[in-house]
Amino acid sequence: MHEQESGLVSVALLLATLASSALANSAPVVSNVTSAQRNDGSKVVDIRYNLADADGNACTVTVQASNNAGSTWTVPITSLSGAVGSGITPGLNKLITWNCATDLPGAFGSQYKIRVIADDGYNPTPPGMVLIPAGSFNMGDTFSEGGTDERPVHSVYMSAFYMDRYEVTNQQYADALNWAWALGNVITVTSGVVYKYNSGTSIPYCSTTSAPTGNPHYGQYSRITWNGSTFGVVSGKANHPIEFVSWYGSAAYSNWRSGMQGRAPCYDTSTWACNFAANGYRLPTEAEWEKAARGGTPGHRFPWSDQDTIQHARCNYRSSLTIIYTYDTSPTSGYHPVWGVGSWTYTSPVGFFTGALQQKMDWNWPGVATSYQTANGANGYGLHDMTGNVWEWCNDWYQSNYYSSSLGTNPRGPTSGTSRVLRGGYRNGANAYYCRVAYRYSNIPDTRYELSGFRCAVGTP
Ligand SMILES: [Ca+2]
Ligand SMILES: [Ca+2]
């Protein structure tokens, strides 16, 4: 963005922002914005600009005005004609005329600026996602209190990417299963377990409620239903995270979600290689996950930056009963006081920990309390549940000494391995130690135990 100001007293001019950067699309660019007030007594202002769009999209052009040199853009500016509104084709020296005497009768000032914005209709932010800006961060255990695999701390530069604001939910997963089922030859359901089509039982994706109980299927914990033709979700669990999903099932979902939105799939489901150049959904790399989890504020132990301690009010985890971590300052111990009950603890709906006083009648938790005061568990990027609730699969193979040889820019993990990375702790056996953003966990990619879920990322071009 750059700006120019005209020398006129009553109106200045400035310009050119454009908002889109694009995936499979070139963003429009506004340039050479000028504004000049006619000196014929009409008070009409002529606004000129150039509009370019490399792939030729017609744009919707809007104009904003500021009377305080750009601090705010709230001046009414509606009496416009010319190259403004929808269907504006790219070209040079586009002209908008503003009858400012109509919008601003009697106004006079030297701090006016005008901004021209062009939108080619392409939304650069995938639905449900947050842009994690490019930049460097210190990855690893800056407190020197974790496992040796969390060190050495090393600086990593990450390109911008998008990250899901929430863990992928049961409803999202069931919708994608139905989409995949309708395609045919993508998935098979055998004894209540969803497998990759034609893989026998070697590539399990997830279990449904009719899967066998216990290891390795854990059908009793599934919230996905199957009636022989349609997948659904157990009542009340639609906005809870999918769990007991394998790494394969997480990667496959990423492809289905891409297909549902006309994006190119990232995963080759024969080799499970990830094409990072594709514009579709994928699992975050381990470095992307940790950068996102840190919320833009370096050097903290948990996703939030206002404290380096953890409590039940902020996330769904198991507060230490016998092992004492000084940073676990939860006044309640054991399972979460409203999401755990008896010998089991349950997922919380994604984004539950907002700082609101939550009511049992709204959330139907298993605990007996009728209300529960949460604290804000979102981080600086607005991401929720980056610690606790469910473990989150990452794209990378796990290697304990990887940090000693990690690339300094966009590391993508070792080229092979036996286990895939899991991050962020969970709600059952994991105490505060496992909830630290630096903690690294892993499991073999077909496992559905360990209460594992995931969220997706999308790269930027
Ligand atoms: Ca375009
Ligand atoms: Ca989580």
Side-chain angles (χ1 to χ4, degrees):
M1 168 174 167
H2 66 275
E3 55 180 70
Q4 301 170 283
E5 298 181 15
S6 65
L8 298 183
V9 172
S10 58
V11 168
L13 213 309
L14 119 121
L15 248 310
T17 49
L18 231 287
S20 322
S21 83
L23 297 167
N25 172 59
S26 293
V29 176
V30 177
S31 60
N32 289 10
V33 177
T34 63
S35 65
Q37 192 160 35
R38 295 179 192 172
N39 59 9
D40 59 0
S42 68
K43 294 187 166 55
V44 167
V45 175
D46 291 321
I47 302 167
R48 296 178 190 277
Y49 64 98
N50 294 341
L51 174 63
D53 187 275
D55 43 15
N57 299 127
C59 294
T60 296
V61 172
T62 54
V63 180
Q64 296 177 344
S66 169
N67 60 3
N68 50 22
S71 294
T72 61
W73 297 89
T74 56
V75 172
I77 179 166
T78 58
S79 298
L80 299 167
S81 59
V84 65
S86 62
I88 307 301
T89 53
L92 302 179
N93 204 27
K94 297 284 182 175
L95 175 63
I96 300 171
T97 57
W98 176 30
N99 189 346
C100 68
T102 300
D103 287 342
L104 302 171
F108 182 87
S110 61
Q111 298 295 302
Y112 279 82
K113 288 178 181 260
I114 289 170
R115 179 155 72 181
V116 177
I117 300 168
D119 181 351
D120 66 355
Y122 182 81
N123 181 349
T125 302
M129 295 196 133
V130 173
L131 179 67
I132 311 300
S136 296
F137 78 107
N138 282 331
M139 185 170 182
D141 170 24
T142 59
F143 292 82
S144 294
E145 63 191 4
T148 55
D149 65 344
E150 302 172 23
R151 295 188 295 274
V153 175
H154 54 293
S155 179
V156 176
Y157 177 84
M158 304 298 296
S159 300
F161 61 98
Y162 298 100
M163 188 78 156
D164 271 334
R165 185 180 297 275
Y166 304 114
E167 296 158 334
V168 169
T169 66
N170 289 313
Q171 188 65 60
Q172 288 178 291
Y173 203 90
D175 290 346
L177 282 171
N178 283 321
W179 183 87
W181 179 257
L183 283 182
N185 299 353
V186 174
I187 56 177
T188 304
V189 186
T190 304
S191 300
V193 179
V194 181
Y195 296 96
K196 175 187 171 185
Y197 184 76
N198 252 354
S199 75
T201 58
S202 63
I203 308 289
Y205 287 159
C206 71
S207 294
T208 70
T209 56
S210 51
T213 60
N215 189 23
H217 303 300
Y218 298 100
Q220 73 269 37
Y221 299 127
S222 174
R223 307 300 181 214
I224 304 294
T225 61
W226 169 247
N227 65 8
S229 60
T230 304
F231 296 95
V233 178
V234 171
S235 177
K237 300 296 185 183
N239 62 342
H240 286 240
I242 177 81
E243 61 172 353
F244 293 89
V245 60
S246 70
W247 184 92
Y248 296 122
S250 305
Y253 165 88
S254 300
N255 273 6
W256 305 333
R257 184 170 169 183
S258 299
M260 292 167 76
Q261 297 180 18
R263 290 172 178 267
C266 291
Y267 290 99
D268 177 331
T269 58
S270 295
T271 64
W272 297 100
C274 181
N275 175 9
F276 286 88
N279 70 355
Y281 295 87
R282 57 175 171 76
L283 297 175
T285 66
E286 184 171 21
E288 285 173 337
W289 191 95
E290 185 167 322
K291 175 165 180 171
R294 290 184 178 279
T297 307
H300 291 284
R301 184 179 279 119
F302 297 107
W304 40 84
S305 61
D306 59 328
Q307 61 180 37
D308 286 320
T309 57
I310 186 170
Q311 304 85 30
H312 275 147
R314 296 222 179 184
C315 68
N316 189 0
Y317 79 113
R318 186 187 192 195
S319 183
S320 301
L321 285 171
T322 55
I323 304 171
I324 304 303
Y325 297 102
T326 57
Y327 46 80
D328 186 353
T329 59
S330 185
T332 48
S333 63
Y335 291 154
H336 194 275
V338 300
W339 293 105
V341 60
S343 61
W344 188 242
T345 183
Y346 297 84
T347 52
S348 42
V350 298
F352 175 77
F353 298 93
T354 60
L357 177 66
Q358 307 288 25
Q359 304 293 330
K360 182 177 171 74
M361 69 177 67
D362 295 329
W363 299 94
N364 194 32
W365 53 62
V368 296
T370 56
S371 67
Y372 184 75
Q373 179 63 55
T374 64
N376 185 9
N379 74 6
Y381 293 138
L383 307 179
H384 289 258
D385 300 305
M386 289 304 284
T387 192
N389 218 11
V390 295
W391 287 113
E392 298 175 20
W393 288 111
C394 295
N395 188 69
D396 296 20
W397 292 108
Y398 174 77
Q399 180 178 302
S400 61
N401 61 356
Y402 180 68
Y403 287 7
S404 296
S405 60
S406 170
L407 294 177
T409 300
N410 294 328
R412 291 169 179 170
T415 54
S416 63
T418 55
S419 293
R420 297 282 187 171
V421 170
L422 286 160
R423 285 302 204 104
Y426 71 124
R427 68 188 183 283
N428 191 4
N431 54 40
Y433 179 83
Y434 302 94
C435 294
R436 297 174 301 111
V437 289
Y439 184 75
R440 306 177 68 201
Y441 191 55
S442 65
N443 218 323
I444 56 175
D446 63 354
T447 189
R448 280 151 291 146
Y449 191 48
E450 297 294 4
L451 299 80
S452 303
F454 66 101
R455 73 183 75 206
C456 293
V458 168
T460 58

